[in-house]
Amino acid sequence: MGVKKIFSGVQPTGNLHLGNYIGAIKNFVDLQNQNNECIFCVVDLHAVTVKQDPKILKQNVRETAATFLACGIDPKKSIIFNQSSVSAHSEVSWLLSCVARMGWLNRMTQFKEKAGKDKEKASVGLYIYPVLMAADILLYDATHVPVGEDQKQHLELARDISKKFNTDFNAPDFFKIPEPLIQKNFARIMSLKDGNKKMSKSDPSELSRINLTDSDLEIINKIKKAKTDTGSFPTSVNNLKSRPEIENLIGIYLSLSGNKIDHLFSEFKDKNFSFFKEKLSDIIVKKISPISKEIKRLNQDPSYIDQVLEDGSQKAYELSSRKIKDIKKKFGF
Ligand code: AQP
């Protein structure tokens, strides 16, 4: 298999959580360590599609970059930068918004979920968010995009925009058609309080998520309080039907342990949920504790983080400058 060109982004909208780790960042690290060409972006332009406090946003950009580093992204191997420092993202987003069709955007379910009932009051930015995401990806000729399952639809839109541009400008292969890289199993980690809701930074309940900065004790307490049900521990996949909370906890266990589901059923046969939760806490603590400590250490060194972002921005600027020149030429500018 040849070298893949990887691009992915994470919004600096607060503490990153176990869902971001399992759904996205864990894969970033694996892809980097398989010697692919990787670009990981702190997507602050995406964050401002909903109102942000400027001072907190600045802090969140640093913390997101610190989380990338703490999870194992190495700035010597991968480009790490923040989106707003490379103006080509906004410029290409405008150009691609003239290629994308209203009908395509009208189908985006994340806009419907995030805008809620009062979509007239949502920002225009939130509506065209997927076009900016397409610009991020296409600008670097990314061939593969590791994302959580919730971003699959946006990636399909990026593919549609790429194909339409290539057809409209009679330029086959000008933009790559990016492939999503989504985990096959348990690609969407759910809230610890409601197995039908995605684990999310913006959930008002702290008990709904494991933050990557949580202490061991916080992790243990949150797992203890995680919702289960009155049924007994499942013994087969059939027992997981209509039990979203149980399925989610098992998904977290399998994702972090690398164990197979059949092995899990025999390991916990005849055991109760509190026993399973103890083992689950152990696994999460083992994985998250070193990350949490490293984030806290890096947060004490903001000038190092700023330097990593600046170096990454310079590299991203050089790559994107070449592509944007060619894109503008196609439009006749
Ligand atoms: N619960 C999740 N399970 C699996 N993957 C997830 N991702 C996010 N939540 C889950 C993946 O993490 C990457 C970065 O996401 P993001 O922070 O840029 O945006 P988001 O999906 O909007 O994340 P949140 O936590 O839900 O933020 P808020 O609350 O601010 O909206 C993406 O690849 C995403 O798929």
Side-chain angles (χ1 to χ4, degrees):
M1 274 272 266
V3 172
K4 299 184 178 91
K5 280 195 177 180
I6 307 291
F7 182 97
S8 198
V10 174
Q11 294 189 76
T13 42
N15 271 329
L16 300 199
H17 49 72
L18 200 60
N20 296 127
Y21 180 74
I22 294 174
I25 304 178
K26 188 159 101 32
N27 299 340
F28 297 179
V29 177
D30 291 343
L31 288 160
Q32 166 195 270
N33 294 341
Q34 289 154 12
N35 294 326
N36 295 296
E37 286 173 26
C38 298
I39 305 179
F40 299 119
C41 187
V42 180
V43 288
D44 48 3
L45 295 173
H46 282 278
V48 297
T49 54
V50 294
K51 199 168 184 320
Q52 302 291 331
D53 176 326
K55 281 201 198 92
I56 296 175
L57 179 66
K58 199 175 171 66
Q59 185 50 31
N60 281 341
V61 168
R62 283 196 182 117
E63 271 207 39
T64 305
T67 306
F68 282 175
L69 297 170
C71 290
I73 297 173
D74 177 353
K76 290 197 198 80
K77 294 183 185 162
S78 300
I79 298 177
I80 303 174
F81 76 107
N82 64 313
Q83 196 183 24
S84 63
S85 65
V86 179
S87 58
H89 289 255
S90 313
E91 216 175 336
V92 173
S93 177
W94 172 256
L95 297 174
L96 295 185
S97 73
C98 300
V99 176
R101 303 291 94 180
M102 290 284 287
W104 300 352
L105 283 167
N106 284 340
R107 285 197 285 275
M108 295 297 111
T109 53
Q110 193 179 77
F111 174 76
K112 289 176 194 157
E113 280 161 22
K114 290 207 170 177
K117 285 198 188 92
D118 206 357
K119 64 177 193 299
E120 294 291 313
K121 289 211 174 121
S123 73
V124 175
L126 190 66
Y127 181 69
I128 59 166
Y129 175 117
V131 180
L132 176 59
M133 182 166 155
D136 300 338
I137 297 164
L138 301 181
L139 193 50
Y140 297 96
D141 289 324
T143 57
H144 293 81
V145 184
V147 281
E149 204 257 341
D150 58 310
Q151 290 296 327
K152 192 171 173 217
Q153 196 184 32
H154 289 169
L155 208 58
E156 274 158 14
L157 186 102
R159 290 166 61 86
D160 288 341
I161 292 176
S162 173
K163 286 179 199 161
K164 180 160 167 53
F165 182 100
N166 291 353
T167 308
D168 287 358
F169 290 93
N170 195 17
D173 302 327
F174 180 82
F175 279 133
K176 297 273 177 291
I177 315 293
E179 293 288 336
L181 291 176
I182 298 174
Q183 277 197 175
K184 280 198 189 71
N185 300 314
F186 310 110
R188 189 186 289 236
I189 302 301
M190 310 310 276
S191 157
L192 299 178
K193 290 275 135 200
D194 178 351
N196 294 307
K197 248 170 77 183
K198 176 177 96 133
M199 185 178 283
S200 154
K201 298 178 212 115
S202 53
D203 192 315
S205 167
E206 270 293 318
L207 291 177
S208 68
R209 65 182 162 264
I210 305 281
N211 298 312
L212 298 182
T213 48
D214 280 347
S215 67
D216 299 359
L217 202 61
E218 281 169 318
I219 294 172
I220 292 165
N221 279 332
K222 285 179 181 179
I223 293 298
K224 243 187 217 159
K225 292 183 179 151
K227 190 173 169 194
T228 50
D229 57 31
T230 49
S232 51
F233 198 85
T235 50
S236 74
V237 177
N238 282 342
N239 283 164
L240 291 174
K241 273 190 199 134
S242 310
R243 301 179 79 186
E245 285 84 15
I246 311 300
E247 191 174 4
N248 188 42
L249 294 179
I250 286 182
I252 295 172
Y253 186 94
L254 295 176
S255 302
L256 295 181
S257 67
N259 284 355
K260 295 270 176 288
I261 197 157
D262 292 339
H263 180 259
L264 173 131
F265 289 137
S266 56
E267 189 181 352
F268 293 102
K269 202 168 130 223
D270 305 327
K271 300 281 193 301
N272 55 26
F273 278 114
S274 58
F275 179 81
F276 170 70
K277 281 182 165 183
E278 263 175 47
K279 297 288 168 207
L280 177 61
S281 296
D282 288 349
I283 282 186
I284 301 175
V285 165
K286 198 166 158 219
K287 193 52 98 183
I288 300 308
S289 182
I291 293 175
S292 168
K293 288 194 183 105
E294 183 62 2
I295 296 172
K296 284 174 191 140
R297 190 190 70 77
L298 286 164
N299 282 343
Q300 301 303 311
D301 195 355
S303 54
Y304 171 68
I305 306 283
D306 290 349
Q307 192 59 52
V308 167
L309 288 170
E310 209 179 304
D311 293 348
S313 296
Q314 189 54 40
K315 291 179 197 156
Y317 171 78
E318 281 159 24
L319 291 174
S320 61
S321 302
R322 271 178 257 152
K323 190 74 183 181
I324 199 170
K325 247 192 215 155
D326 293 341
I327 298 170
K328 283 170 137 181
K329 251 194 227 159
K330 291 281 175 225
F331 277 91
F333 297 147

